[in-house]
Amino acid sequence: MIIYNTKKEIREALAKCRAAGDQTGAVPTMGALHEGHLSLIETAKALTDRVVATIFVNPLQFGPNEDFDTYPRSVESDLARLEASGCDLVFMPDRAELFPPDFSTKISVAGVGEDHCAISRPQFFDGVATIVTKLLLVLSPDVAVFGEKDYQQLAVIRRLVRDLDIPTSIVGVPTVRQADGLAMSSRNQYLAAAERDAAPALFVTLTRAAEKLQLGHDWSIVQGWATARLIDAGFSSVDYINYVDASSLAHIDRANRPGRILAAAWIGKTRLIDNVPVKET
Ligand code: AMP
């Protein structure tokens, strides 16, 4: 596995792979890698010949009062994990390599990039869309792999790639969970022991809510039930629990098409997100 810190070097390395006839797959991450990230690498390896992972904690997607400074950074163990997973190349630029001081361009995806998480994190999806666009332009991968754990983010990326005619196929990978259902996340490290015990209630509640919808219950009742259940389980507040069309992310209230329940909730000082599918009945 070879590590590159500059755009020039990674471009040259990937150009050589392509010249040799290899298909390339990219897995963008912010590091603090866990099994969820590794399943993206596994998918990229299954679909392509050469896999490049990126590690970059993207300042653009953090709000002024968010955890950019304290976001977990564990480069050595990340590189060991990537190597063990069979990743071929790593792109690990510093901030100045991607963002000159007068960087002033913003990619903003209307529609799927609004509502839900965008309400409490107004700059988040512009930050994600901008960095992902840059990474796709630097790497020019045939395939780029992202997690369904960040469902709205995946929808934003699919849309920007389609709208901007970026010639990369976007592949989504199902959420990898702990045995008790908690979605793996770099931010789970923030949870104190009692919070960690309560955290699986998010997935359990969303799963039950999906079952209730499939039994024909009214969404407004299910939404109220789910909110109360999370607070009972020890969550401090619920940002949102929304039932949406699985591709447009528009609000829906009946299981007459493929849907998704998206949620974000706070447990102490940690904001957790999760989502589950709701089958068409
Ligand atoms: P992050 O490092 O948190 O920005 O995530 C990098 C990529 O890993 C994104 O595509 C995430 O959706 C994906 N990811 C994060 N957690 C999981 C998980 N538990 N299962 C699958 N993919 C994940």
Side-chain angles (χ1 to χ4, degrees):
M1 187 175 82
I2 306 182
I3 298 159
Y4 301 88
N5 300 115
T6 66
K7 293 177 283 193
K8 184 172 181 296
E9 287 168 326
I10 191 77
R11 274 200 169 113
E12 284 169 5
L14 288 166
K16 277 193 193 144
C17 296
R18 279 188 288 276
D22 288 343
Q23 293 271 303
T24 57
V27 178
T29 81
M30 297 209 299
L33 302 183
H34 49 65
E35 300 299 315
H37 298 109
L38 300 183
S39 95
L40 308 187
I41 301 279
E42 217 172 277
T43 301
K45 277 183 72 69
L47 296 174
T48 65
D49 308 303
R50 290 280 163 190
V51 174
V52 53
T54 72
I55 300 179
F56 181 67
V57 183
N58 172 30
L60 300 187
Q61 70 191 64
F62 289 80
N65 299 315
E66 293 184 352
D67 55 346
F68 176 73
D69 291 331
T70 53
Y71 193 81
R73 287 160 172 91
S74 53
V75 172
E76 271 178 34
S77 70
D78 290 349
L79 293 175
R81 284 175 160 224
L82 288 173
E83 176 113 60
S85 70
C87 180
D88 301 292
L89 309 94
V90 181
F91 180 44
M92 228 170 48
D94 67 12
R95 184 175 181 152
E97 180 68 12
L98 291 184
F99 297 115
D102 58 351
F103 182 86
S104 56
T105 298
K106 187 193 281 181
I107 304 288
S108 193
V109 178
V112 292
E114 297 170 315
D115 206 343
H116 321 302
C117 274
I119 290 176
S120 56
R121 305 189 74 192
Q123 62 280 81
F124 177 72
F125 290 115
D126 289 356
V128 167
T130 305
I131 187 72
V132 170
T133 303
K134 279 175 70 71
L135 291 172
L136 294 179
L137 290 172
V138 170
L139 305 174
S140 306
D142 296 292
V143 172
V145 184
F146 296 88
E148 286 184 352
K149 147 96 184 353
D150 301 277
Y151 196 83
Q152 190 177 8
Q153 169 175 292
L154 177 58
V156 164
I157 293 165
R158 285 190 195 285
R159 180 62 57 88
L160 81 85
V161 162
R162 190 207 66 182
D163 286 355
L164 299 178
D165 301 310
I166 297 176
T168 296
S169 304
I170 302 301
V171 172
V173 169
T175 304
V176 177
R177 300 178 180 282
Q178 304 280 358
D180 58 11
L182 177 64
M184 290 199 181
S185 164
S186 307
R187 289 191 169 96
N188 291 351
Q189 297 179 31
Y190 299 155
L191 298 170
E195 295 170 346
R196 173 64 189 82
D197 289 345
L202 181 55
F203 176 60
V204 173
T205 301
L206 298 189
T207 303
R208 298 252 168 88
E211 287 162 7
K212 285 174 186 284
L213 279 170
Q214 269 155 352
L215 290 170
H217 293 257
D218 204 75
W219 171 242
S220 63
I221 308 278
V222 177
Q223 188 182 38
W225 170 86
T227 305
R229 195 179 185 285
L230 287 179
I231 300 297
D232 275 359
F235 278 77
S236 10
S237 67
V238 174
D239 253 11
Y240 68 87
I241 305 182
N242 292 335
Y243 177 34
V244 301
D245 178 279
S247 48
S248 71
L249 307 194
H251 292 258
I252 56 176
D253 53 18
R254 275 188 306 133
N256 58 357
R257 56 185 135 162
R260 205 92 191 177
I261 303 174
L262 311 179
W266 288 87
I267 190 156
K269 289 189 174 137
T270 306
R271 182 176 179 275
L272 298 180
I273 61 170
D274 206 345
N275 65 88
V276 298
V278 183
K279 283 193 216 102
E280 190 176 354
T281 51

